Amino acid sequence: MGLSYEQFLVAAPLGPVVAALTAVRRGYAIPVGRRTSAVILDEHAHDYKVDSIASRLSRDVEADVCVASVSDSDVLWLTVVRDGTPVHEYCSAPDHDRKITKDAFGVLRYEDGSRFDPDAPGTPPSGADPAWFLPFGVPEARIDALAAALDRAADPEDARAEGRHVFAEGIYGDVLAALGFPRGIAFTPFAELAAMAREAVEPEPSYEGLPETFAIAERRNREHRAARRADFTSAYPLGDALPIPPPTPSESTIT
């Protein structure tokens, strides 16, 4: 099971962004540059509606908003919202929802009758114009590096780059890196941030009675989140979200 989430990049510093999000149920606003903020909200809050949040945010802060949507690690959408209106959309895998069936002769075909070739290269990403996204980055961000990140294929079954599978969150991480921001944001949905904050103040649970392999995995996951708190101590808690404290010296040595 892959990752599914939405995040926001706002071409504005943290202060105005936080002021515009006082009504959200819970989430975090993170300064990622002098003029850009990342926003990660609780997708399960009853008032969470990504389109209306992006539209309102772009109007309230008078700045462009980029909505990053990852679907089951398969597809990345990046939607630029300006003055409350979507003005550009990128999709890493435009053919992701094309239905494939067998014809009377057992040949795999798309709905339009064209033949499906599993060995053929995938359809290139749509909307991969880096000029739409470069304004979100640091002044030193290079358009050629951003173009390369946007041009990555996102099919986790067979797409490979640099010898590894390419998942949608990996593409988004490369886009963030090309913009001059931490890649780790792309691998950190709200639930992960909430766990970091909660586990910092709660005692470690007992793993007694659990299968040994499960207990080891749970302990390692908790230790990994503790060490990662160092990357998110600047995250400003919104609504009733808990603050994320830095790791203790012993926690920060865990790898």
Side-chain angles (χ1 to χ4, degrees):
M1 183 175 177
L3 279 177
S4 295
Y5 64 76
E6 287 109 15
Q7 296 182 1
F8 307 80
L9 278 182
V10 188
L14 188 66
V17 172
V18 169
L21 292 171
T22 54
V24 302
R25 181 70 54 170
R26 65 187 66 87
Y28 294 91
I30 306 167
V32 291
R34 293 191 301 273
R35 59 183 186 184
T36 306
S37 304
V39 176
I40 302 175
L41 302 179
D42 181 2
E43 302 99 330
H44 300 294
H46 72 84
D47 58 348
Y48 180 82
K49 295 179 177 62
V50 61
D51 293 338
S52 60
I53 291 171
S55 178
R56 185 176 66 250
L57 189 55
S58 70
R59 290 194 302 265
D60 290 351
V61 301
E62 299 181 346
D64 286 0
V65 173
C66 178
V67 183
S69 301
V70 169
S71 176
D72 201 26
S73 292
D74 290 341
V75 190
L76 168 68
W77 289 272
L78 298 174
T79 305
V80 178
V81 180
R82 179 175 295 161
D83 297 326
T85 303
V87 293
H88 182 76
E89 183 176 82
Y90 162 90
C91 180
S92 64
D95 284 347
H96 72 282
D97 58 353
R98 292 183 68 186
K99 187 176 180 180
I100 301 171
T101 58
K102 284 185 179 180
D103 65 13
F105 302 98
V107 178
L108 294 174
R109 296 188 182 276
Y110 290 111
E111 288 180 296
D112 62 5
S114 60
R115 185 168 181 165
F116 169 70
D117 182 358
D119 297 321
T123 302
S126 61
D129 181 354
W132 283 98
F133 307 102
L134 190 64
F136 291 92
V138 298
E140 300 79 17
R142 290 173 29 232
I143 196 167
D144 58 336
L146 181 56
L150 291 167
D151 199 37
R152 307 271 300 274
D155 184 350
E157 296 299 326
D158 58 13
R160 294 178 180 271
E162 300 171 5
R164 62 184 175 84
H165 286 296
V166 181
F167 294 100
E169 62 270 23
I171 296 175
Y172 184 43
D174 290 345
V175 169
L176 289 173
L179 292 172
F181 306 141
R183 291 185 83 254
I185 290 174
F187 302 89
T188 314
F190 173 81
E192 187 78 359
L193 292 176
M196 290 182 198
R198 183 180 64 254
E199 291 170 358
V201 296
E202 292 180 352
E204 184 171 1
S206 170
Y207 301 107
E208 185 177 354
L210 295 177
E212 183 179 3
T213 55
F214 182 81
I216 292 173
E218 286 294 298
R219 185 176 292 110
R220 293 301 298 173
N221 286 338
R222 185 182 178 99
E223 291 172 347
H224 178 66
R225 282 191 292 268
R228 288 198 69 209
R229 294 205 309 266
D231 298 328
F232 294 98
T233 53
S234 63
Y236 187 94
L238 303 167
D240 59 12
L242 297 173
I244 300 176
T248 64
S250 61
E251 290 173 330
S252 62
T253 61
I254 297 171
T255 58

